[in-house]
Amino acid sequence: MPIRSLAFSQDSTKLLTGSDDGHIKLFDVAAGTLLATMSGHTSWVLAVAFSPDGEHFASSSCDNSVKVWEISTKQCIHTFIEHTDQVWGVRYNKDGTRLISVSDDGCLNVYSIPV
C-alpha cells in the first residue's frame, strides 16, 4: 500500500507513516522495527505529525477528519470533523498548544490542544 505521509519525532527516534489503506504505522528508527499499526480513518491517511512533546500525534485523511492519538496507548483520543473535504495537512505549533489543518474545502482550521 502506498505511503502518503511520514514524520520523525522531535528526537528522531520514532517514525510515523500514513498510507492509502487508512493505517498509521509507528516505527523505532534505531532498531528498524514496527512498534504499532493503528487504524481509525476510513480512507487514505494524507498527513501525520508528532506533537512537540512526543506524547501525541495527529493524522488527517480523505475521510475529512483530523485525529489526535496518544502514543503510549496507541489509541485515538479525539476526532475533529469540521472539514467538508479531504484534509491534506496537519501541524502542531512550537509549544504544542495548537493544531492546524488544511483541506480541499479551502479552510485552515486551528484547534486548541489538549482536547
Side-chain angles (χ1 to χ4, degrees):
M1 203 45 66
I3 294 172
R4 295 280 170 185
S5 180
L6 55 89
F8 278 102
S9 59
Q10 294 290 333
D11 62 5
S12 297
T13 61
K14 306 269 188 307
L15 176 72
L16 285 169
T17 63
S19 60
D20 285 3
D21 62 2
H23 290 102
I24 300 161
K25 294 187 179 186
L26 177 66
F27 295 90
D28 179 299
V29 174
T33 57
L34 176 65
L35 299 174
T37 300
M38 294 151 282
S39 59
H41 287 290
T42 59
S43 188
W44 298 2
V45 177
L46 297 174
V48 290
F50 276 98
S51 64
D53 65 8
E55 294 183 15
H56 299 90
F57 71 88
S59 60
S60 66
S61 171
C62 285
D63 66 8
N64 307 348
S65 73
V66 173
K67 294 184 178 287
V68 177
W69 304 77
E70 189 172 57
I71 300 261
S72 62
T73 63
K74 319 296 189 283
Q75 297 294 313
C76 177
I77 58 170
H78 193 79
T79 301
F80 296 101
I81 53 169
E82 284 77 11
H83 286 293
T84 59
D85 206 342
Q86 56 197 5
V87 186
W88 284 97
V90 289
R91 292 291 180 271
Y92 284 88
N93 68 341
K94 185 177 180 178
D95 65 5
T97 59
R98 298 281 187 268
L99 179 66
I100 292 115
S101 63
V102 293
S103 168
D104 272 349
D105 64 11
C107 294
L108 181 147
N109 290 351
V110 180
Y111 310 104
S112 292
I113 302 294
V115 289

